[in-house]
Structure formats: C-alpha cells, structure tokens
Amino acid sequence: MPAATTPAAVAIGEAATRLSEFTVVDVRSPGEYAGGHLPGAYNVPLERLDQAADALTAAAARGPLLLVCASGNRSARGCARLAARGVEAATLDGGTTGWTAAGHPVERSAGARAPWPMDRQVRLAAGSLVAAGFVAGRFWRPAHWLSGAIGAGLVFSGITGTCGMAAALARLPHNRPAPGAVPFEETLTRLAA
C-alpha cells in the first residue's frame, strides 16, 4: 500500500501573485461557491471530484491545479484523491476564509447569499440531533440511540475522512447552485478545453 502524502500547500500571498498561472478549482458545495469564490475558479464539489477526473487531468496537463475550499481541509482531501489518480494538485493554505481575511477579492454569483460553511452546517445538524436524542430519551428511552448513532457516524467520519451528513446537507436547496450558475457538465467541458 502506498504511503499517504501531504499535498503541496500554496500560501495565500503566493497564490495571489501567481493566480493567473493556476487552474483554480473550488471543491465546496455550489451554494458555498456562489457565496464567494476566488476569481476565475471552477466549481467541482468534492463529492463529484471522481466524475471530473478526466477534465482535471486535462487541465493539469496545461498547468498547475490549485484546489480551494473554505479552510483547506476539503481541498487537501481532494488533492489526495487526485494524487491517487496520478494528477498533481496543490491546496490553498487557509482556503477562501484566509483569502478574504487577507483582503483579496472574491467573485459572487448575482443575488447569491453565502450559506454557512459545510463544516459549520454539519456541527449544527449533528449537535441538534444529539441534543434531540438526549432530551427525547428522557421520555422514551430508545431515543438515546439517536445520539449514539450520530456519535458513531462522527467517529466513522473522522476515521475515513468522509462525511455522509455533509453529503446529505449538500443536497439542501441553500447549498445548490444559484440560478444562472454554470452547469456541472459545462464546467467539465471548460476544464478539459
């Protein structure tokens, strides 16, 4: 089994200076992307990265790929998944949160409002379900199993680096593409060209 490697991380200042050299790929949900992304970034949600592998391979052949998310965690996972396919990519250290904190501009879809980052949505949903299971368990003992199931899911998520709750939340309307957003298939065509 090959050893896991840490993807290359590009500092925000370097990324700002070299932005035109990169093909920037934002791996957040379409809703997060619409709320503000690096200029010129393509939206390929992390859960659809495998579908985009051929287009990303073509883009990487033309120049360096820079994967971006809110903080750098999802983009690092994306880099690792691409590396397993032989595609080299770097992650933006600090993500869009660090990018905007450094005063760099972001593009927003017209009329889009920024949803909470996915990790915050997961924490709210998981915490709410655990609390609901605890309270309901005071009146109906089997309800405690809800808290246990959520805890087990979080442990599984931590071990595997995947998150079923995030995948489910990504399907909610506020995390879907904004009206007028570029369809995923067109994004793939643009990346491959």
Side-chain angles (χ1 to χ4, degrees), residues 54-155:
D54 291 340
L56 292 169
T57 300
R62 292 190 307 274
L65 288 180
L66 179 64
L67 270 54
V68 180
C69 66
S71 65
N73 292 328
R74 284 179 278 179
S75 56
R77 288 197 312 263
C79 288
R81 284 172 56 184
L82 289 174
R85 293 177 167 271
V87 179
E88 188 175 327
T91 182
L92 179 63
D93 192 23
T96 54
T97 303
W99 179 266
T100 56
H104 298 294
V106 293
E107 294 176 345
R108 287 185 170 80
S109 300
R113 57 185 183 85
W116 288 356
M118 189 57 67
D119 62 327
R120 187 173 176 191
Q121 292 181 48
V122 168
R123 289 192 308 264
L124 175 67
S128 297
L129 289 170
V130 168
F134 176 78
V135 171
R138 303 273 298 153
F139 305 101
W140 186 56
R141 188 116 178 101
H144 283 291
W145 285 103
L146 175 61
S147 299
I150 297 300
L154 291 172
V155 169

Side-chain angles (χ1 to χ4, degrees), residues 26 63 83 118 125 136 160:
D26 193 316
M118 189 57 67
T160 64

